[in-house]
Every structure is written in C-alpha cells, then in structure tokens.
Amino acid sequence: MDELLDKYDLEYGDFGDEEPVALKRTPRKAYKNVMVRELEDAVVKNALQTTYTPSRFEEEWLLAALGNFYQDNVITDVLSKVKGGKEANVYCCTAHDAVGVELVAAKVYRPRQQRNLRNDKMYRDGRPVLKADGTAVKGSDHRMIRAMNKKSDYGKTVQHTSWLMYEYTTLAALHQAGAAVPKPYAVNDNCIVMGYRGSETAGAPTLHEIDLEESEALPLFQEVMRNIALMLEREMIHGDLSAFNILYWEGEITLIDFPQVTHSRNNDNAHLILSRDVRRVCDYFAQQGVECDAEAIMERLWERHETNDWYGCEWLSS
C-alpha cells in the first residue's frame, strides 16, 4: 500500500518539467485512471479481514468476490468455509452492524463456473434471461442474444449472471411471501450474501445428513410441502429439491439452492420437474416414518395449480 502511494506521489506530484517515463508512453488521463484503480484495489484488499485462511488460489477470487461487500458495510470478516461445491463455495461471515444480524452466508460461485455452469437447458425453458439488475433481457438486445446463441465468453457470462440472479430474485420473492428460505441481503456478479443457518465454524446440516426425531418428522414434512405449494402458487418450482438442499437447524428447515428455479406455466417440463421434487422429498420423509404418497400429493398439487385454487393446504400432509 505504501509503495503504491509513493508511486502515486511521484507520478502525479510536483515534478516540474520532468515527466515520468511512463507518462510519456501513456496518455495522462488513461494512466491516471489505471493508478486510481490500483489504489482503490489496494485499499479494498488492505481492508479485508479474514479469520478464515483460504488457499493461495482461493484467496484471490474470494477477496475479489467479497471486496465490495466490505466497502458497502455488508460484511466485516470471513470466519469459515462451511460448504464447498462444484458450482460455489459457501462462507460464514460476520455481518456489519447495519445489516441487523450477527452472521450471514456468502455464496461465492467458482471462477470456472462463469464458463461451465451445469447443463440447465431444461430449467431455462420458458423463463427469460435476467441481467445484473434483475430485469429481463429484451428481444431487442441483439448483442446479448447473439452472444448467448454463439456461446461466446460474453454469452457465457450473460448466462452465468442470469443463473445467479434467478437465485437472488427468487429468494427475495419467497422470503417476502413467508417461505422458509434465507433472506437475501446483497448480490454482485459472482456472489450472493444471504441469511445464515449454523454456528461460526459449521453450517447447518442438510436433512440428508441426519435422522429426525419421530415427533418432528411429520411437522417438518408438512412444512416442506407448505413451501412447495407456496412456490407453485407463485408459478415457481424449485427444480432440484431433495434432502440434500434442505437445511435443518434448531428444529426448523430452510430450503436452499434456487438458481435453477422453473416457471410452472411456461416450461413444458414443469410437471416432470415438480414430480421429481415431490418424490425426492417423500422418499426422505418415508424413511423417517412419515406415511406419504408422492403420486397422490403430486396429483392434488397439480390440480390446485391448474385451477389456481390454493385455499387451505392441510391436504398436503396426508
């Protein structure tokens, strides 16, 4: 940091008629912009506090992904990595006082995932591509559409942004509607900061990792079904729901991982996708002693969806 400041003073201080060699090769305005960016990056990196010690490769992209959240008073520290995955890592972070909670989760997508996200065509059918501000790409935006069709680097970045923004906007809509999902606090082009479940050193386990007490299995099954119905009422299907992405913490469940959320009326595969979600959930809870008929529940869900009649959902528990 001091070296950069010294460099800045030398090249933009009172140097009279003797211009630095670098300025003779580069226009002053452009060179100054480069210097300012270097200084800003250094200030940000110098301010980042990470109790967690990332690997050498991990550190570079982690700090790059989280830097603006430090600047914007969203997080103040990275305490631990609580989940590693092919698409993203999840970190437990100390939240800034302005956020109003003690801990938040930062879901940071891996750098390679900007070029190699999962094959999501089945989920994307019937839903528009989202831009970084959460609005849909218009048909008149030929540059974006062309890039996606050609699968260029820019096109892959557009698809990555859309994938991430679907998770963020879905979390925002569902949390506001009363679903058992993390509250989203902030987003950038490669990370979402959201509500956290777990301790400072370990995230909440998934249902797949635990066996439920007999007394809590049925109520939690009913709660999962309430959330499935709540999503479907809003024409959303999770698309990848199972015991692997339902967290359990202090007797409550939290549904996570929404980037592949599917539109129930515009996607020709909607019935198939929802059936798979319901079956996977029922398979887990059947192992926990809950009597549940996935086909019967799916039939009743889809009937309510087609008639748009969502008055009372007690029938979902049987």
Side-chain angles (χ1 to χ4, degrees):
M1 184 65 183
D2 291 338
E3 291 177 359
L4 270 176
L5 289 172
D6 291 341
K7 180 180 177 183
Y8 186 86
D9 288 340
L10 170 64
E11 296 179 353
Y12 294 100
D14 184 13
F15 47 76
D17 297 330
E18 296 297 324
E19 274 195 324
V21 175
L23 285 182
K24 293 179 181 179
R25 294 194 304 265
T26 309
R28 172 183 283 268
K29 184 176 181 180
Y31 192 75
K32 184 173 182 179
N33 288 340
V34 171
M35 282 298 304
V36 170
R37 283 198 299 271
E38 286 184 19
L39 283 168
E40 289 176 344
D41 291 345
V43 169
V44 171
K45 188 169 184 178
N46 190 58
L48 302 186
Q49 177 184 356
T50 57
T51 297
Y52 167 70
T53 303
S55 65
R56 183 176 179 181
F57 168 75
E58 181 187 11
E59 180 180 20
E60 183 176 349
W61 60 266
L62 175 62
L63 297 185
L66 298 181
N68 70 298
F69 296 130
Y70 280 82
Q71 287 182 300
D72 296 340
N73 294 332
V74 178
I75 65 173
T76 60
D77 191 7
V78 180
L79 300 178
S80 61
K81 179 169 71 174
V82 297
K83 180 183 177 183
K86 293 180 179 179
E87 293 179 358
N89 289 348
V90 179
Y91 299 86
C92 174
C93 302
T94 303
H96 190 277
D97 290 343
V99 176
V101 295
E102 183 179 351
L103 301 174
V104 290
K107 182 175 183 179
V108 182
Y109 278 80
R110 290 175 172 273
R112 289 182 182 178
Q113 294 312 119
Q114 286 189 278
R115 303 185 300 276
N116 190 31
L117 283 172
R118 72 173 73 173
N119 183 8
D120 63 344
K121 184 179 185 304
M122 182 171 69
Y123 307 107
R124 287 189 287 107
D125 283 351
R127 74 180 198 182
V129 174
L130 297 185
K131 297 185 290 187
D133 61 359
T135 61
V137 172
K138 296 180 180 179
S140 58
D141 197 333
H142 303 300
R143 178 171 176 257
M144 279 190 176
I145 295 173
R146 229 177 7 251
M148 287 185 289
N149 290 337
K150 290 182 177 180
K151 298 182 179 180
S152 65
D153 287 344
Y154 174 60
K156 291 176 182 178
T157 298
V158 172
Q159 292 286 14
H160 167 81
T161 298
S162 181
W163 186 257
L164 183 145
M165 288 307 302
Y166 264 104
E167 176 152 35
Y168 181 78
T169 56
T170 298
L171 286 175
L174 291 179
H175 185 270
Q176 185 175 15
V181 300
K183 179 180 180 178
Y185 290 104
V187 64
N188 63 21
D189 59 0
N190 213 47
C191 177
I192 301 175
V193 176
M194 63 185 81
Y196 179 72
R197 301 290 184 274
S199 67
E200 291 186 0
T201 57
T206 64
L207 287 180
H208 173 73
E209 300 173 84
I210 63 172
D211 289 321
L212 298 174
E213 297 291 335
E214 183 177 353
S215 60
E216 61 184 350
L218 179 58
L220 290 181
F221 171 70
Q222 293 171 335
E223 173 65 356
V224 175
M225 287 300 161
R226 179 188 75 85
N227 279 269
I228 291 176
L230 185 150
M231 285 188 281
L232 195 57
E233 183 181 1
R234 288 154 182 78
E235 301 183 350
M236 300 176 187
I237 302 171
H238 185 284
D240 192 28
L241 191 62
S242 72
F244 287 90
N245 45 32
I246 301 176
L247 302 180
Y248 174 87
W249 189 249
E250 296 181 344
E252 298 182 350
I253 56 100
T254 303
L255 280 62
I256 59 171
D257 294 340
F258 286 87
Q260 72 290 316
V261 65
T262 299
H263 196 287
S264 64
R265 298 197 184 275
N266 297 342
N267 191 319
D268 292 338
N269 296 301
H271 188 279
L272 172 66
I273 294 171
L274 180 62
S275 295
R276 187 178 60 188
D277 281 2
V278 172
R279 186 184 71 252
R280 288 174 173 174
V281 169
C282 286
D283 285 348
Y284 169 79
F285 280 97
Q287 295 173 2
Q288 306 302 312
V290 176
E291 294 184 8
C292 48
D293 185 333
E295 291 186 8
I297 291 174
M298 177 61 200
E299 183 178 344
R300 281 177 274 182
L301 269 173
W302 201 252
E303 181 182 353
R304 292 296 183 100
H305 174 253
E306 290 186 325
T307 60
N308 200 28
D309 178 10
W310 294 101
Y311 179 75
C313 292
E314 295 80 6
W315 47 272
L316 283 173
S317 63
S318 59

